[in-house]
């Protein structure tokens, strides 16, 4: 169906999400903090808005919210295109580029195969040179998929070395090295998942379990098919890591985000606060190259601080937008003890397209069956966020969100289980030009989705069905970095 604007009305630029200056963007790459700056490189085709010869685009930020574009960091060379990878600060100069050099470890991809290579910068990432010794880790014979190295420094007691996790088809390989140049295979893992999917873009990092101080390790993975709302998604396992071997608690792959558009997530190395922050490409390989475009295509999620929370099933990942986003908020509306359905909708007449809205819902199962929040409302368009009080599920329904005709799989809905905590569910929604990101109960669940409403679709509505619902609090802010 073609909507009133035609199928390909292009989106405006997001206000508080990262997009490329022009051309195509996919995975985040080379995430590292150095000298007060967070580096964000990304899979980039500068000359076209579809995937092609891969470069590393580059930007820096001091707060993970406002980004400054820098020149392309890495471009295809005689060894191939520049696929995904990571970056470290080589504080001790182990690779021979000098103390404190930034070293990028990435995949060179060509008709001959996929191999890991190095590039370095001694001027705070302003210029990069590839290493004459590339590649430093060629693929084993007969291994066509061998890519996306995530490198970090592992230290315990007096021991310390570099660790690389990379994806090789359905295997995740751990290599170790003293100098980023000589790599030894330490272990391999074959995570199980129902569908015949293979892996990409692994990450491996420690987190403390809330309220216990216990340290556990999380292995995250881009899963190429069979994600909860279809297509590609980000899975993870919780376990232990001894510097060489990751041992998962169980072999069931969990989902980091239940929305359709959360892929290739990567975390920053060397964040000074010790916090773990990641970002993902907000898209799905099912339709990434078809979404409306005006010369740029591809958007990142907001940067999110990670945690682990205890549950009956074991520790589970939590993610919330970084606190720096709070500084970009201007209050628009707040209320408490709002009873729905009521005399009038509290959100009636409020218009805002770039927002941060939080509802604290009192959950009384004898009352309403579900609560619907409509955002980006206008004409017959709306993006619905629904909490089903009986089933304890939170969902995004984008079937009427706007332009969708570019792909039949786009107008889907997605749901995550969200149990009330102390009889309450808190739902936080970040809405920008072409996306919604929903976080429940301090990030125990998140759902990220691309949406393409027409310009000026910026209204709201609240609906309760099957009885009354009490909103203990409602808070709306306009977001402008
Ligand atoms: C994941 C991915 C990576 C690869 C890159 C190529 O989205 O397929 O495995 O390195 O994108 O752009």
């Amino acid at each position: 169906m073609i909507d009133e604007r035609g199928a390909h009305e292009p989106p405006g630029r997001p206000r508080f999400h990262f997009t490329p200056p022009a051309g195509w963007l996919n995975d985040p790459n080379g995430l590292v903090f150095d000298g007060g700056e967070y580096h964000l490189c990304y899979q980039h085709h500068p000359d076209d808005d579809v995937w092609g010869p891969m470069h590393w685009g580059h930007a820096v930020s001091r707060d993970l919210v406002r980004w400054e574009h820098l020149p392309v960091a890495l471009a295809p060379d005689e060894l191939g295109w520049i696929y995904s990878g990571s970056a470290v600060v080589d504080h001790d100069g182990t690779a021979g580029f000098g103390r404190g050099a930034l070293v990028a470890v990435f995949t060179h991809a060509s008709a001959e195969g996929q191999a890991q290579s190095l590039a370095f910068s001694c001027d705070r990432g302003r210029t990069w040179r590839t290493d004459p010794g590339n590649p430093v880790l060629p693929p084993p014979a007969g291994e066509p998929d061998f890519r996306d190295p995530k490198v970090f420094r592992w230290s315990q007691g007096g021991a310390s070395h570099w660790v690389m996790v990379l994806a090789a088809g359905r295997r995740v390989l751990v290599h170790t090295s003293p100098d980023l140049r000589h790599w030894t295979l330490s272990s391999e893992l074959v995570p199980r998942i129902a569908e015949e999917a293979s892996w990409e873009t692994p990450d491996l990092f420690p987190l403390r379990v809330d309220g216990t101080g216990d340290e556990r390790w999380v292995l995250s993975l881009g899963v190429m098919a069979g994600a909860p709302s279809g297509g590609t998604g980000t899975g993870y396992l919780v376990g232990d890591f001894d510097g060489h071997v990751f041992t998962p608690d169980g072999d069931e792959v969990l989902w980091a985000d239940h929305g359709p558009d959360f892929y290739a997530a990567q975390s920053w190395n060397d964040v000074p606060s010790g916090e773990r922050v990641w970002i993902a490409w907000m898209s799905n390989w099912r339709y990434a190259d078809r979404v409306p475009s005006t010369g740029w295509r591809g958007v990142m999620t907001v940067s999110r601080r990670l945690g682990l929370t205890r549950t009956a099933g074991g520790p589970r990942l939590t993610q919330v937008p970084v606190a720096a986003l709070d500084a970009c908020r201007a209050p628009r509306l707040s209320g408490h003890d709002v009873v729905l359905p009521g005399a009038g909708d509290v959100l009636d007449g409020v218009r805002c397209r770039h927002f941060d809205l939080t509802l604290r819902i009192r959950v009384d199962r004898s009352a309403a069956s579900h609560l619907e929040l409509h955002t980006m409302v206008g004409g017959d368009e709306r993006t619905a966020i629904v909490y089903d009080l009986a089933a304890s599920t939170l969902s995004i329904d984008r079937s009427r969100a706007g332009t969708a005709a570019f792909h039949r799989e786009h107008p889907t809905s997605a749901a995550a289980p969200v149990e009330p905590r102390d009889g309450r569910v808190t739902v936080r929604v970040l809405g920008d030009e072409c996306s919604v990101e929903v976080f429940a109960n301090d990030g125990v669940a998140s759902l990220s989705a691309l949406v393409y409403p027409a310009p000026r679709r910026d209204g709201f509505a609240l609906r309760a069905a099957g009885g009354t619902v009490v909103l203990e609090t409602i808070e709306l802010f306009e977001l402008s970095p």
Side-chain angles (χ1 to χ4, degrees):
M1 200 172 80
I2 307 291
D3 71 20
E4 68 198 65
R5 294 165 301 129
H8 288 272
E9 178 81 12
R13 285 272 181 178
R15 249 203 212 172
F16 58 95
H17 287 87
F18 183 81
T19 53
W24 165 270
L25 165 152
N26 59 290
D27 314 354
N29 296 152
L31 304 187
V32 65
F33 178 88
D34 178 44
E37 294 178 328
Y38 294 89
H39 291 264
L40 168 60
C41 296
Y42 52 93
Q43 287 289 279
H44 187 36
H45 185 186
D47 306 321
D48 204 346
D49 63 0
V50 289
W51 191 85
M54 282 292 105
H55 298 58
W56 275 24
H58 190 193
V60 287
S61 171
R62 295 195 166 266
D63 63 3
L64 292 163
V65 177
R66 302 173 188 90
W67 295 97
E68 177 197 339
H69 291 292
L70 294 180
V72 161
L74 300 171
D77 60 21
E78 65 288 353
L79 292 177
W81 294 3
I82 314 293
Y83 273 16
S84 286
S86 51
V88 294
V89 182
D90 187 5
H91 294 285
D92 299 328
T94 61
F97 303 126
R99 286 177 183 272
L102 285 177
V103 183
V105 188
F106 62 90
T107 302
H108 258 129
S110 70
E112 276 78 65
Q114 301 180 346
Q116 316 325 312
S117 289
L118 305 181
F120 65 99
S121 169
C122 298
D123 59 359
R124 301 169 48 243
R126 272 34 186 195
T127 54
W128 293 84
R129 296 211 335 249
T130 50
D131 187 71
N134 283 337
V136 294
L137 181 61
E143 190 72 79
D145 295 306
F146 190 66
R147 63 176 179 271
D148 305 343
K150 170 63 189 243
V151 173
F152 62 92
R153 189 81 185 165
W154 179 87
S155 311
Q156 201 175 76
S160 181
H161 55 246
W162 298 106
V163 174
M164 176 199 291
V165 275
L166 64 78
R170 289 183 61 75
R171 298 181 302 148
V172 178
L173 307 182
V174 177
H175 289 77
T176 54
S177 170
D179 58 4
L180 296 165
R181 294 179 174 281
H182 301 91
W183 293 95
T184 308
L185 180 62
S186 278
S187 60
E188 71 168 62
L189 181 76
V190 184
R192 248 176 14 109
I193 192 160
E195 187 142 343
E196 270 299 303
S198 51
W199 318 116
E200 303 183 303
T201 60
D203 198 351
L204 178 62
F205 47 83
L207 285 172
R208 299 236 169 247
V209 181
D210 277 355
T212 70
D214 293 349
E215 184 183 85
R216 307 306 311 283
W217 285 75
V218 172
L219 175 71
S220 69
L221 297 158
V223 184
M224 289 175 75
S229 45
T232 51
T234 299
Y236 73 98
L237 294 158
V238 182
D240 288 321
F241 181 62
D242 65 3
H244 297 274
V245 181
F246 174 75
T247 310
D249 293 347
D251 58 5
E252 183 198 356
V253 176
L254 305 161
W255 295 102
D257 184 290
H258 282 77
D261 299 309
F262 188 88
Y263 198 59
Q266 286 285 298
S267 69
W268 269 272
N269 278 324
D270 279 19
V271 173
S273 61
E275 290 180 340
R276 184 59 55 168
V277 179
W278 75 358
I279 195 167
W281 174 39
M282 192 152 45
S283 198
N284 191 311
W285 274 119
R286 268 195 166 168
Y287 44 70
D289 59 351
R290 308 264 196 92
V291 301
S293 154
T294 43
W296 63 273
R297 192 183 260 135
V299 55
M300 297 294 178
T301 63
V302 290
S303 309
R304 302 168 177 198
R305 180 171 54 78
L306 298 176
L308 278 179
T309 188
R310 276 182 298 168
T311 73
R316 294 290 181 267
L317 201 59
T318 62
Q319 42 182 328
V320 291
V322 288
L325 208 58
D326 296 358
C328 310
R329 307 195 298 187
R332 287 291 301 272
L333 175 141
S334 71
H336 57 88
D337 298 317
V338 176
V339 181
L340 298 168
D345 185 336
V346 266
L347 289 172
D348 226 14
V350 177
R351 302 187 65 170
C352 188
R353 177 73 176 257
H354 314 97
F355 62 86
D356 182 350
L357 172 64
T358 300
L359 305 176
R360 194 166 147 85
I361 309 163
R362 191 177 302 154
V363 177
D364 175 354
R365 288 215 167 82
S366 64
S369 56
H370 67 267
L371 174 73
E372 284 191 24
L373 165 69
H374 296 173
T375 64
M376 301 174 181
V377 177
D380 59 359
E381 294 180 11
R382 63 178 194 222
T383 299
I385 290 116
V386 181
Y387 186 65
D388 184 326
L389 284 81
S392 300
T393 55
L394 180 66
S395 54
I396 295 180
D397 177 357
R398 63 178 177 182
S399 58
R400 293 173 60 183
T403 303
F406 55 86
H407 197 276
R408 70 191 155 76
E409 308 281 3
H410 187 265
T412 47
S413 65
V418 177
E419 289 298 330
R421 236 180 18 198
D422 304 325
R424 286 160 188 85
V425 169
T426 303
V427 177
R428 180 173 178 190
V429 185
L430 299 183
D432 201 344
E433 205 55 35
C434 59
S435 62
V436 283
E437 288 160 280
V438 184
F439 302 87
N441 284 351
D442 296 324
V444 293
S446 71
L447 297 114
S448 307
L450 292 172
V451 287
Y452 295 98
R456 291 176 301 284
R457 301 302 194 252
D458 53 8
F460 296 88
L462 278 165
R463 301 272 178 273
T468 56
V469 175
V470 177
L471 299 181
E472 288 191 348
T473 55
I474 173 167
E475 270 193 300
L476 173 68
F477 299 89
E478 178 155 5
L479 270 174
S480 24

